[in-house]
Amino acid sequence: MNKEKRIEILTRLRDNNPQPTTELMFSSPFELLISVLLSAQATDVSVNKATRPLYAVANTPQSILALGVDGVKTYIKTIGLFNTKAENVIKTCRMLVELHNSEVPEDRAALEALPGVGRKTANVVLNTAFGWPTIAVDTHIFRVCNRTKFAPGKNVDEVEQKLLRVVPAEFKVDCHHWFILHGRYTCIARKPRCGSCIIEDLCEFGEKVYPEE
């Protein structure tokens, strides 16, 4: 895929959704961090359903620490891997209190040092909470970038590094939101909705799927 085609794809996605953001519900960098930590192998809908009542009673490191592991579990037990996630949430809150004055650090290394926080989670927090031009590659972005040939790669790290190279600066802050939403609602895994895709004519996927007439 050439530069001109990539720019046209990004321009169309931007025109269709000028101010994209995560579908996770949050009102602070801390809430975003916890929600992204909980979202591994879970849907945003399921995370929002669990965090809405959780954040109503505890939405700071100190208040969640006060709940303890078992207290956190009562709110997130509908989310996959909730036992491990509850322990990571408590450990993360303890580190935020002890090492970062209860604030979410605007620093990649410090974020990735938190239990349960990997590169993708750090990228989401740096991008969505702090406006960094980072690109978090999840399964949706990995699929879209490989299927369209926008930025193919063998793994998420390869796709991320290619995106960082080929996406112009003006699109970097928002592009991962566009690709996530495109993968979630249009370029879906089993049967992509090519007939309703706004970048269908630019996509280089060789097995496009159209509804039967």
Side-chain angles (χ1 to χ4, degrees), residues 22-26 35-36 38-55 75-76 78-80 85 138 140 180-181 184-185:
T22 177
E23 293 187 316
L24 290 170
M25 293 168 45
F26 71 98
S35 290
V36 179
L38 294 175
S39 71
Q41 300 180 48
T43 66
D44 288 358
V45 172
S46 68
V47 172
N48 290 337
K49 187 175 181 180
T51 57
R52 191 179 295 112
L54 170 63
Y55 295 155
Y75 289 96
I76 69 168
T78 55
I79 300 175
K85 289 177 180 178
D138 70 349
H140 294 300
I180 286 174
L181 294 171
R184 186 172 288 164
Y185 297 111

Side-chain angles (χ1 to χ4, degrees), residues 34 38 45-59 63-64 66-80 82-83 85-86 89-90:
I34 297 303
L38 294 175
V45 172
S46 68
V47 172
N48 290 337
K49 187 175 181 180
T51 57
R52 191 179 295 112
L54 170 63
Y55 295 155
V57 299
N59 67 345
S63 57
I64 286 185
L67 290 176
V69 172
D70 290 338
V72 171
K73 285 181 184 180
T74 63
Y75 289 96
I76 69 168
K77 59 188 176 183
T78 55
I79 300 175
F82 73 93
N83 285 310
K85 289 177 180 178
V89 165
I90 291 298

Side-chain angles (χ1 to χ4, degrees), residues 67-167:
L67 290 176
V69 172
D70 290 338
V72 171
K73 285 181 184 180
T74 63
Y75 289 96
I76 69 168
K77 59 188 176 183
T78 55
I79 300 175
L81 308 175
F82 73 93
N83 285 310
T84 299
K85 289 177 180 178
E87 293 177 4
N88 284 335
V89 165
I90 291 298
K91 291 174 183 175
T92 287
C93 288
R94 185 170 293 114
M95 287 181 67
L96 291 176
V97 170
E98 294 176 354
L99 302 178
H100 302 290
N101 196 31
S102 298
E103 298 291 332
V104 175
E106 189 178 345
D107 178 88
R108 176 182 297 283
L111 285 169
E112 291 187 20
L114 298 171
V117 176
R119 183 174 180 85
K120 186 186 81 170
T121 297
N123 276 338
V124 173
V125 173
L126 291 171
N127 175 277
T128 305
F130 300 115
W132 284 32
T134 57
I135 301 176
V137 177
D138 70 349
T139 55
H140 294 300
I141 295 180
F142 182 78
R143 179 175 65 255
V144 170
C145 286
N146 276 286
R147 185 182 274 166
T148 63
K149 305 298 190 287
F150 187 99
K154 295 177 183 177
N155 53 55
V156 293
D157 291 332
E158 280 190 18
V159 171
E160 178 187 342
Q161 293 309 312
K162 187 153 191 178
L163 285 170
L164 290 171
R165 288 197 305 272
V166 303
V167 173

